[in-house]
Every structure is written in structure tokens, then in C-alpha cells.
């Protein structure tokens, strides 16, 4: 591990100013992803700025009926909060589907959104990776691509975003509160993570020094109160998603009134399935309609073929996951 | 040239003052600086759970924790769970249920089990909790899910679940 200095400022503005003045500095929050990357040599900062004492660890009620989650709230506390469990079940379920009890105790809300891809080549500095270094090539294309993207990828990067929480937040239209060198601003979660395009080194729209201070959940709608998160993985626990879906559904007299679908494990960012949602609104809540809607969404899918394991299997897997999750929320057998 | 930073940490009830390189993990501070080898290093990347300790009452991975960031914290290792020479109920249950083979993962398993039982008593749900809004009952499926962050390469899992089940219902 390269040497670094350690700073613990008293105020968020100081932390932001410190990073803004030092391109080689990084924020430290829960550290679960950063410590691993420091050991692997994936990142080599010269200064760590500890924000654990200055980001809020509170969950507070907003005037509009929503909830504000401090960026420092541990994942375990967020999932256990009675208001979150009751009003936003997809959020609690998504967190509980990820990592382990120890990691959820350590990891912060802000850090969860900012965790990096688990692409094996990204984590291995001895292999080329455009996400680590734009001048290099992508080792995953033609390599071990089983976990990789089927939607929205570019020639430079087929990595997927690993967060479960972010998928639920995208389905629920959460807002991310950010403090930057020029002051505070709000970013809709759907616009927070990026597709890789020409610059896969950037996972989000944040600039260096931007600090996530909170995540706001909007007032729950009937669909959000009837939401859940389904994750499919290689083993029953403590594994990243092959595919996942955060789904919210309101059905009245057999007709879909409101539906939100976000997919994990399929793209460089949590993928809001707007095509499928539009296809379902106003339609009967039946398996055939569910299947047709997700098929319309996946028309744009471009699975990766590889002698070491491709990812075409994700198309039927996403289809089955979304259809069964919708069926369960509509009152049928999930 | 790295500057060290002074800090203090209380481990199993005893306070220690030390100067640390900022890169030092809590795990390495315990083992290499303080000679407390109860806590084990397995993968050193947060994947195996062998390094689990209770940090200010919560189970965490000491290999992914920077010591310098935990100045003033209270750490309990599997050793520190005993009180007045009496083994902790979870440790007793591991013995009674033969919940280990080589024993390398055991200190982490025991700390994790203590944390998991406490989390369930505080009503924290897990991925297998059927009703997120209801109280939690620590059955075998709940225990397996809550202990999934602790690997045992000898695969003593069946007896580990039995030990945690016995301790949880004592």
C-alpha cells in the first residue's frame, strides 16, 4: 500500500475544500470498498479525508412526507429502521440482500452508492482495464464476462454497478444531496450514475471533491408501499447479483395503475426499465402482459459472447425475475 | 517517509496507547502491534470474516478498518467475551456443539454470533425474514443467513448453526 496521510476535519465544507485542493485525496467513510482497493493497488491516494464524524447518521422526516437518510447512516441501520421497512420495503430488502452482517454494519449510505464495480479485471491491476486507466483496453470483452452488462455498455467497458441499494433507490425516484466546492445541490438518483460511454473511469456525475451528504426518499405512493427487491445470485447469500430487480406495483381492479421497475446486474448503472413500465401502465396485470413488457425492454440487450463464459443467460433470467416479482406484488405466487 | 499518528484503543477492557502508520488496519494493530493474536487474518479482503471483532458493540471486519480512524474505540475480541473466568454463553455453545474443526475461523465466528444474536434481539431483519415489519425469530435459516459472512473451510457450518441456535435461545 502506498503511504498516505490521514485527516479528520470537523466540518463537511472543510472536507470538501481539502479534496478539491488535492486531486490525489479521497474521502473515507465505511471503508469496506476503499480498504480493499488500497490493498489491491486499484487506487493509490496520498491523503484520506475521514468523513465518518461529519456526515449525518440520522434518518429524519421531510415536510413532504418523505425521509432524509444521512449519508453516514450504516446500511444495517437503514434496513432496520421501522419507517423504511414499512413505507419503503424495496429499500430494506435491497440492503439486506447485499454483503454480510459485518459489512452492513460498516458500510455507509453514501458509500454504498459510490462503490466500484466487482469486475474481476478492474480489481486486478495486472490486467488491462479502461475503468482504471482510459489508455488501456477492456479485458472483460472476450474474457470472463459472466457478471457483465447486457444493456447500455460501450466498446470501452462492460462492467456492471454492484449496489443493491442503488437499484431500489432508482425505482423509487430518490434524490441525492451533494455538497461540492460551489455549494449544495440535488441530483435525481436516475441521473447520478453514468453509462460508460467514452469514459468508464467515471461511475457517477460527481466531480472530485463532491460529498454525498444525504439521500431523500419521496413520500411513499401506494405502489412504493407495495414494493420489493429480488436478487438472483450464484449462492443463497453473501454474493453479488447476477441480476436483480426492484419493483413497485399498484393494481386496481386487475389493471396496472402504477409500476416502477429498476434492474441490477445488467448495466453500468442501475437500469430503470422505462420501456417496460410504459408498456404495462393501464394494461391487465397478467403474466402475458408482464412478459411482453420486459421483452420490449430487453429488445435493446446486447449480450457478450465469450469462450470463458458469456452473459446471454441474463436475458431469460431477467425476464423470469421481473415476471415472477410482478406476479407476487399483484397477489399471485412469486 | 510516513508520519505516524498517536491514538488509543481499548481492547478487551485494557487501554493501549500507540503510534500508528495511517495504513495500519485494526487487524494488524491488534496482532502485530499489540500482540493480540486471538483475532485471525484469513483473506485480509473482507471476504471470510475470520477477523470479526465487536467494535463499540457491533460486529465489524477488522481487516477493512483503519486503526487510525478508530481512535478511542472499544474493541472486544473472542478472548474478551469471558467475564470473571466464565466463558461467554456463545463460546460455551460452540464447545458443547463441536462447532469447529481446525478452529482458525472460530474467534471470528464467535464474535459474529454474539453480534448477530444482539442484532436479532434489537429486531433487525435479515434477507430471509418473511415479514419485514414483524419481530424476528432466530431459526436455523435466519442464523445461516446472518452468519453468511463467516466462512469455515472445514465446513463445520451445521454445528455452528446449532451452537448459535442454542446460545440465542438460552
Amino acid at each position: 500500500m502506498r503511504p498516505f496521510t490521514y485527516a479528520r476535519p470537523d466540518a463537511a465544507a472543510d472536507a470538501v475544500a481539502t479534496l478539491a485542493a488535492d486531486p490525489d485525496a479521497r474521502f473515507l467513510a465505511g471503508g469496506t470498498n476503499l480498504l480493499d482497493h488500497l490493498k489491491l493497488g486499484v487506487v493509490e491516494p496520498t491523503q484520506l479525508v475521514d468523513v465518518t464524524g461529519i456526515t449525518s447518521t440520522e434518518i429524519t422526516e421531510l415536510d413532504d412526507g418523505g425521509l432524509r437518510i444521512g449519508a453516514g447512516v450504516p446500511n444495517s441501520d437503514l434496513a432496520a429502521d421501522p419507517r423504511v421497512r414499512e413505507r419503503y420495503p424495496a429499500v430494506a430488502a435491497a440492503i439486506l440482500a447485499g454483503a454480510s452482517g459485518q459489512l452492513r454494519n460498516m458500510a455507509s449510505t453514501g458509500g454504498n452508492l459510490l462503490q466500484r464495480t466487482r469486475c474481476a479485471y478492474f480489481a486486478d491491476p495486472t490486467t488491462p482495464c479502461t475503468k482504471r486507466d482510459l489508455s488501456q483496453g477492456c479485458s472483460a470483452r472476450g474474457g470472463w464476462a459472466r457478471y457483465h452488462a447486457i444493456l447500455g455498455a460501450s466498446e470501452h467497458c462492460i462492467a456492471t454497478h454492484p449496489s443493491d441499494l442503488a437499484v431500489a433507490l432508482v425505482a423509487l425516484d430518490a434524490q441525492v444531496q451533494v455538497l461540492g466546492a460551489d455549494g449544495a445541490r440535488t441530483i435525481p438518483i436516475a441521473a447520478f450514475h453514468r453509462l460508460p460511454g467514452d469514459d468508464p473511469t467515471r461511475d457517477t456525475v460527481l466531480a472530485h471533491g463532491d460529498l454525498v451528504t444525504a439521500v431523500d426518499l419521496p413520500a411513499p405512493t401506494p405502489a412504493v408501499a407495495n414494493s420489493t427487491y429480488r436478487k438472483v445470485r450464484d449462492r443463497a447469500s453473501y454474493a453479488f447479483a447476477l441480476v436483480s430487480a426492484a419493483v413497485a406495483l399498484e393494481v386496481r381492479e386487475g389493471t396496472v395503475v402504477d409500476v416502477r421497475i429498476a434492474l441490477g446486474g445488467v448495466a453500468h448503472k442501475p437500469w430503470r426499465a422505462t420501456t417496460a413500465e410504459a408498456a404495462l401502465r393501464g394494461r391487465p396485470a397478467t403474466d402475458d402482459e408482464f412478459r411482453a413488457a420486459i421483452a420490449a425492454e430487453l429488445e435493446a440487450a446486447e449480450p457478450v459472447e465469450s469462450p470463458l463464459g458469456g452473459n446471454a443467460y441474463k436475458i431469460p433470467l431477467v425476464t423470469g425475475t421481473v415476471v415472477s416479482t410482478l406476479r407476487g406484488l399483484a397477489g399471485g405466487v412469486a | 517517509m510516513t508520519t505516524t499518528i498517536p491514538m488509543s484503543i481499548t481492547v478487551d477492557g485494557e487501554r493501549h496507547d500507540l503510534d500508528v502508520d495511517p495504513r495500519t488496519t485494526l487487524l494488524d494493530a491488534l496482532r502485530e502491534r499489540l500482540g493480540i493474536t486471538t483475532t485471525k487474518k484469513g483473506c485480509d479482503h473482507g471476504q471470510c470474516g475470520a477477523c470479526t471483532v465487536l467494535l463499540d458493540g457491533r460486529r465489524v471486519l477488522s481487516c477493512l478498518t483503519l486503526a487510525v480512524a478508530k481512535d478511542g474505540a472499544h474493541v472486544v475480541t473472542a478472548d474478551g467475551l469471558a467475564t470473571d473466568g466464565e466463558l461467554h454463553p456463545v463460546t460455551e455453545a460452540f464447545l458443547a456443539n463441536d462447532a469447529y474443526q481446525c478452529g482458525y475461523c472460530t474467534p471470528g465466528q464467535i464474535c459474529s454470533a454474539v453480534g448477530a444474536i444482539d442484532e436479532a434481539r434489537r429486531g433487525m431483519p435479515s434477507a430471509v425474514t418473511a415479514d419485514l415489519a414483524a419481530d424476528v425469530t432466530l431459526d436455523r435459516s435466519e442464523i445461516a443467513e446472518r452468519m453468511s459472512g463467516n466462512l469455515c473451510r472445514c465446513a463445520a457450518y451445521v454445528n455452528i448453526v446449532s451452537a448459535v441456535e442454542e446460545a440465542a435461545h438460552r
Side-chain angles (χ1 to χ4, degrees):
Chain A
M1 209 186 296
R2 289 271 181 87
F4 53 77
T5 58
Y6 171 84
R8 187 170 14 194
D10 294 325
D14 294 341
V16 169
T18 303
L19 238 72
D22 181 355
D24 294 321
R26 295 271 179 150
F27 292 130
L28 169 69
T32 55
N33 199 204
L34 181 61
L35 264 284
D36 189 28
H37 285 166
L38 290 171
K39 293 178 188 197
L40 292 167
V42 171
V43 289
E44 296 182 317
T46 54
Q47 177 175 206
L48 290 191
V49 178
D50 190 342
V51 297
T52 50
I54 55 181
T55 47
S56 168
T57 55
E58 303 286 316
I59 301 174
T60 52
E61 306 266 354
L62 292 169
D63 289 342
D64 67 359
L67 286 181
R68 172 159 294 175
I69 304 157
V73 173
N75 287 183
S76 49
D77 289 6
L78 177 55
D81 188 282
R83 297 164 293 185
V84 174
R85 287 153 71 179
E86 190 183 318
R87 300 177 204 168
Y88 307 95
V91 172
I95 292 168
L96 294 171
S100 66
Q102 294 97 312
L103 288 164
R104 290 192 296 271
N105 278 338
M106 303 166 73
S108 69
T109 301
N112 187 308
L113 303 185
L114 296 172
Q115 61 180 306
R116 312 298 308 273
T117 183
R118 269 26 179 226
C119 175
Y121 302 103
F122 173 72
D124 178 1
T126 67
T127 60
C129 170
T130 49
K131 185 175 273 301
R132 282 196 321 273
D133 181 345
L134 266 184
S135 68
Q136 301 180 349
C138 173
S139 299
R141 268 196 195 278
W144 195 77
R146 222 178 138 251
Y147 276 107
H148 292 70
I150 56 171
L151 289 164
S154 76
E155 61 178 303
H156 303 292
C157 184
I158 56 171
T160 52
H161 198 271
S163 170
D164 296 297
L165 171 62
V167 179
L169 295 180
V170 164
L172 272 46
D173 288 323
Q175 309 265 331
V176 185
Q177 302 293 345
V178 175
L179 184 66
D182 298 327
R185 66 189 195 278
T186 304
I187 303 172
I189 184 75
F192 184 79
H193 296 99
R194 293 177 71 251
L195 288 176
D198 287 338
D199 187 1
T201 64
R202 294 180 61 215
D203 295 348
T204 70
V205 297
L206 295 185
H208 181 74
D210 281 344
L211 177 67
V212 174
T213 56
V215 174
D216 291 351
L217 301 178
T221 59
V224 167
N226 185 41
S227 66
T228 192
Y229 184 76
R230 186 133 182 202
K231 180 175 180 179
V232 184
R233 26 187 174 171
D234 278 333
R235 54 181 189 238
S237 182
Y238 201 18
F240 287 93
L242 298 172
V243 305
S244 69
V247 183
L249 180 69
E250 182 188 4
V251 176
R252 267 189 242 155
E253 294 170 1
T255 299
V256 175
V257 176
D258 188 13
V259 60
R260 288 97 169 293
I261 303 168
L263 305 174
V266 299
H268 194 261
K269 64 177 190 178
W271 188 269
R272 182 77 182 258
T274 49
T275 303
E277 291 177 10
L280 274 178
R281 236 172 255 119
R283 302 293 301 175
T286 63
D287 271 21
D288 285 347
E289 295 283 345
F290 298 155
R291 203 173 300 280
I294 194 64
E297 185 72 42
L298 293 175
E299 268 177 30
E302 293 181 302
V304 180
E305 298 199 10
S306 166
L308 297 181
N311 61 12
Y313 76 93
K314 288 192 177 185
I315 292 177
L317 194 56
V318 168
T319 304
T321 302
V322 171
V323 170
S324 69
T325 306
L326 283 164
R327 187 195 303 133
L329 291 172
V333 178
Chain B
M1 184 68 195
T2 306
T3 312
T4 58
I5 299 178
M7 64 171 292
S8 76
I9 194 157
T10 302
V11 184
D12 297 337
E14 188 177 340
R15 183 185 153 127
H16 303 269
D17 296 294
L18 66 167
D19 294 311
V20 293
D21 180 312
R23 293 172 290 181
T24 311
T25 62
L26 177 58
L27 174 61
D28 286 341
L30 290 171
R31 292 181 59 86
E32 309 297 333
R33 299 293 307 282
L34 303 177
I36 298 166
T37 53
T38 302
T39 306
K40 300 293 187 270
K41 182 180 281 192
C43 70
D44 207 25
H45 286 278
Q47 297 175 2
C48 77
C51 69
T52 303
V53 296
L54 298 167
L55 178 71
D56 294 330
R58 290 180 159 224
R59 55 176 172 157
V60 301
L61 300 177
S62 60
C63 79
L64 293 184
T65 303
L66 285 181
V68 70
K70 301 301 170 189
D71 185 20
H74 286 253
V75 174
V76 174
T77 73
D79 240 4
L81 290 168
T83 47
D84 301 329
E86 294 280 317
L87 292 180
H88 188 280
V90 170
T91 314
E92 288 272 18
F94 268 67
L95 283 167
N97 288 276
D98 199 16
Y100 45 80
Q101 288 179 42
C102 82
Y104 194 82
C105 72
T106 310
Q109 297 276 3
I110 289 175
C111 286
S112 188
V114 170
I117 291 169
D118 178 57
E119 289 160 14
R121 283 186 183 147
R122 288 192 282 130
M124 298 173 87
S126 84
V128 299
T129 306
D131 180 358
L132 280 179
D135 286 342
V136 173
T137 306
L138 270 192
D139 58 20
R140 293 186 72 87
S141 143
E142 281 278 2
I143 291 166
E145 165 60 26
R146 288 165 192 265
M147 293 293 292
S148 72
N150 290 82
L151 305 190
C152 170
R153 297 315 300 256
C154 307
Y157 296 112
V158 174
N159 290 358
I160 291 171
V161 172
S162 297
V164 179
E165 193 175 25
E166 182 181 307
H169 296 112
R170 191 174 283 189

